[in-house]
Amino acid sequence: PRCHVSRLARRAAFASLVLAGLALGTAPASAGLREARAALDAGQIDVAMKEYEAVAGQGMAAGRTGVGRVLLRRRQLEAAMEAFQLAQKMDPSLAEAHWGQGEVLRRQEKWTEAIALLEKAVVLDRKFPEAQLALGECLVQTKQYDRAIETYSAGLKWGPRWAPRFLVGLGAVETAR
């Protein structure tokens, strides 16, 4: 009985150390993600890349998608595709990984191939404006106007920040018709 108690105590201590380590590991990673996003938004691409790579080095798929975003900004499409594919392997439920792959294909004007990935991103994250806008453009380019109108109309509910871009998308559908 005495060995049994000490074994349980050791297991409990180990479990609490693991949980504490996980809690400490995610806090710096999420702070790194915030810093990286802020740097990318401010146009500090090299700083953003450094921060995203540090987060990706901790095994976070979100860090890998951030690397992909930086590579997109640098117009390094093949490298960006690799980063987004790796992020998808790390976390198949990460909408941004699907969006990134679709965005690379959209920029290469591979509209039909991009649609499936962008649809997956929209299904995984119902409020992902960038994915919704990219999907709408691909649908317009493939002459799927009714679906494009549905896609752009969904974004009109997301407030004044995004509504103008979705209205422009709706105008593009009508112009293309």
Side-chain angles (χ1 to χ4, degrees), residues 122-168:
V122 169
V123 166
L124 289 171
D125 185 350
R126 294 273 178 207
K127 195 172 181 185
F128 190 172
E130 293 166 306
Q132 198 89 12
L133 288 165
L135 176 59
E137 181 183 350
C138 290
L139 292 169
V140 169
Q141 294 296 329
T142 57
K143 300 182 183 349
Q144 299 177 48
Y145 302 124
D146 291 336
R147 287 185 60 205
I149 288 173
E150 289 175 26
T151 300
Y152 285 130
S153 295
L156 293 176
K157 300 178 255 175
W158 296 341
R161 178 175 176 213
W162 291 102
R165 293 180 69 184
F166 285 98
L167 287 169
V168 168

Side-chain angles (χ1 to χ4, degrees), residues 98-99 102-103 106 114-122 131 134-135 138:
H98 296 278
W99 165 81
E103 180 65 16
R106 185 186 70 81
I115 288 173
L117 290 161
L118 294 169
E119 285 176 335
K120 180 73 173 178
V122 169
L135 176 59
C138 290

Side-chain angles (χ1 to χ4, degrees), residues 33-125:
L33 281 174
R34 280 192 302 276
E35 291 173 12
R37 284 185 191 123
L40 189 60
D41 290 344
Q44 300 170 339
I45 295 176
D46 292 332
V47 173
M49 180 63 103
K50 180 181 168 191
E51 291 292 332
Y52 278 129
E53 285 177 338
V55 173
Q58 296 176 17
M60 290 189 63
R64 189 59 48 205
T65 59
V67 169
R69 279 184 178 269
V70 171
L71 293 168
L72 274 176
R73 182 80 61 96
R74 290 179 174 168
R75 295 183 181 92
Q76 297 174 352
L77 300 181
E78 289 179 29
M81 179 63 92
E82 290 174 10
F84 289 121
Q85 287 172 338
L86 180 57
Q88 182 185 351
K89 288 178 185 171
M90 294 168 73
D91 184 358
S93 66
L94 188 62
E96 192 172 5
H98 296 278
W99 165 81
Q101 293 173 69
E103 180 65 16
V104 169
L105 292 170
R106 185 186 70 81
R107 290 182 185 199
Q108 294 172 335
E109 297 183 359
K110 297 178 180 176
W111 316 112
T112 306
E113 295 173 47
I115 288 173
L117 290 161
L118 294 169
E119 285 176 335
K120 180 73 173 178
V122 169
V123 166
L124 289 171
D125 185 350

